[in-house]
Each structure stands twice: as structure tokens, then as C-alpha cells.
């Protein structure tokens, strides 16, 4: 399938790799990108040869939040009727195979929420995270209010969301936002190696276990 805002590849015939590809916008998330990301995830999830997926971005940014410019003309009714972006954020959670976010550079706002929606996060020394919604007068509507407290606890989640401050990779690792830290030049390779490890498990058992854990 041909995509305009993402690139797809396979590693060792077992790992599906999805690269967000809007470099001029620092991978800011819009409806087209989220539709394509959801479609790619579903395609890999349906492929019996694929055991795990990796989502990554560029050297500068995993995803620098939502594309505010694209949303400028939207009102509440537009967003509600279209289930804007959220419909495909939920796809990340609904696929049965594990999904690893490989973060290099900034993961801000909806970009940080997209990383949190994945099962695991591996990040380079240049990665940073910020939930800067409050600075723009909006709420963390991409899942941040659900996932962040479950990773760091309610009080710390409130501190990060209320302030909107940037968190570097070492603090993110200590808080439990990030699962593994690695070097920027080996980020994708290390994510792929981790994905290969996960792909060795029984696909049926893994899918059922992931579903049950997510629902518990």
C-alpha cells in the first residue's frame, strides 16, 4: 500500500516498522497521518508473518504534537463527528501484537500521547517528552490523562500536565515513562532487536495476554 505521510518496512520478515514522515512539520499529527498509521498497524496486525511493530519518527522529532494549523478551522462539532485523530489513536491499543515506540527528539502533546499508547517506549539520549496542552488552553485529549497516571502515578502526572514542562530522557526513564534508553544512532536497530525478541512468543498467547492486561 502506498502512503503519503508514513513509510513502512519489515525487519527480518517479523517486525513491521512504521516511520512517521512529515519532516517539515516535525511529524505533527493530522488526520491523514493518523489514518495511514492506523491502516499500517492493522495491515501488520493481520499479517501472520509479523510478530511485533515499531513506530518511530525522525532525528528531530518523534511527533511534535497535533497539527494545529490543520485544526484551525475545526469546531467542536467537526471534531466530535469525525472522531478526529482519536479513532486511530485507539487503533494502537486495539491491535493484538505488541507495539514499540522508538523515540528520538521531541515527543510533545499528542505525539507524547501516541508514544504512551504503545506497549513500550525505547528512547535515545536526545528524546524529550512534554504534555504542553495547558499552555495552549486545551486538555490532554489524546490519551495522556489515561496513560500518564498509570505510568507515573496521579500526582506526578498532574505536575507534568499542569506545568507542560519538558522532560528529558533520563527523567522520563526514572519516572517510568520510558522503558529503555539507548543511543540515537542505534535506536531503530535496538527497537527492532527488542521487537524480534517479542516475536518469538506464541502469537496467540501473546495476543490474548495483551488484550487481557489492557482490559484489566
Amino acid at each position: 500500500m502506498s502512503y503519503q505521510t508514513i513509510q513502512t518496512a519489515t525487519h527480518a520478515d517479523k517486525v513491521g516498522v512504521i516511520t512517521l514522515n512529515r519532516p517539515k512539520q516535525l511529524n505533527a499529527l493530522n488526520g491523514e497521518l493518523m489514518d495511514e498509521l492506523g491502516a499500517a498497524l492493522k495491515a501488520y496486525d493481520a499479517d501472520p508473518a509479523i510478530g511485533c511493530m515499531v513506530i518511530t519518527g525522525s532525528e528531530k522529532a518523534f511527533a511534535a504534537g497535533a497539527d494545529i494549523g490543520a485544526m484551525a478551522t475545526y469546531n467542536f462539532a467537526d471534531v466530535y463527528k469525525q472522531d478526529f485523530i482519536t479513532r486511530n489513536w485507539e487503533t494502537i491499543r486495539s491491535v493484538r501484537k505488541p507495539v514499540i515506540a522508538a523515540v528520538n527528539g521531541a515527543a510533545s502533546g499528542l505525539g507524547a500521547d501516541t508514544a504512551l499508547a504503545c506497549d513500550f517506549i525505547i528512547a535515545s539520549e536526545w528524546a524529550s517528552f512534554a504534555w504542553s496542552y495547558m499552555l495552549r488552553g486545551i486538555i490532554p485529549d489524546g490519551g495522556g490523562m489515561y496513560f500518564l497516571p498509570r505510568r507515573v502515578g496521579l500526582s506526578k502526572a498532574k505536575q507534568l500536565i499542569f506545568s507542560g514542562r519538558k522532560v528529558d530522557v533520563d527523567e522520563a526513564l526514572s519516572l517510568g515513562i520510558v522503558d529503555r534508553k539507548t543511543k540515537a544512532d542505534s535506536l531503530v536497530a535496538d527497537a527492532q532487536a527488542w521487537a524480534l525478541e517479542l516475536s518469538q512468543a506464541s502469537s496467540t498467547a501473546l495476543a490474548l495476554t495483551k488484550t487481557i492486561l489492557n482490559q484489566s
Side-chain angles (χ1 to χ4, degrees), residues 33-81:
L33 187 151
M34 294 307 292
D35 285 341
E36 292 188 345
L37 176 59
L41 286 168
K42 288 177 180 177
Y44 282 136
D45 204 37
D47 186 342
I50 298 298
C52 185
M53 286 87 87
V54 172
I55 301 175
T56 192
S58 66
E59 293 182 0
K60 292 184 177 179
F62 175 77
D67 189 336
I68 302 299
M71 297 169 61
T73 61
Y74 280 47
N75 58 35
F76 176 79
D78 295 326
V79 174
Y80 180 74
K81 288 177 182 177

Side-chain angles (χ1 to χ4, degrees), residues 85-169:
I85 292 184
T86 304
R87 65 184 182 273
N88 287 309
W89 164 75
E90 291 174 348
T91 301
I92 300 175
R93 300 297 294 173
S94 66
V95 295
R96 295 183 173 186
K97 296 168 184 175
V99 182
I100 299 172
V103 178
N104 196 17
S108 304
L110 196 61
D113 288 346
T114 299
L116 285 181
C118 298
D119 298 294
F120 307 105
I121 300 176
I122 184 171
S124 80
E125 71 268 35
W126 304 117
S128 65
F129 300 82
W131 287 266
S132 50
Y133 296 89
M134 293 290 175
L135 304 180
R136 293 171 174 79
I138 54 178
I139 66 172
D141 50 358
M145 288 189 290
Y146 178 84
F147 289 117
L148 193 56
R150 284 162 173 77
R151 279 189 173 252
V152 306
L154 182 58
S155 177
K156 288 186 175 64
K158 286 179 180 179
Q159 293 177 48
L160 294 174
I161 291 171
F162 290 178
S163 69
R165 69 179 181 85
K166 185 167 67 174
V167 177
D168 65 23
V169 67

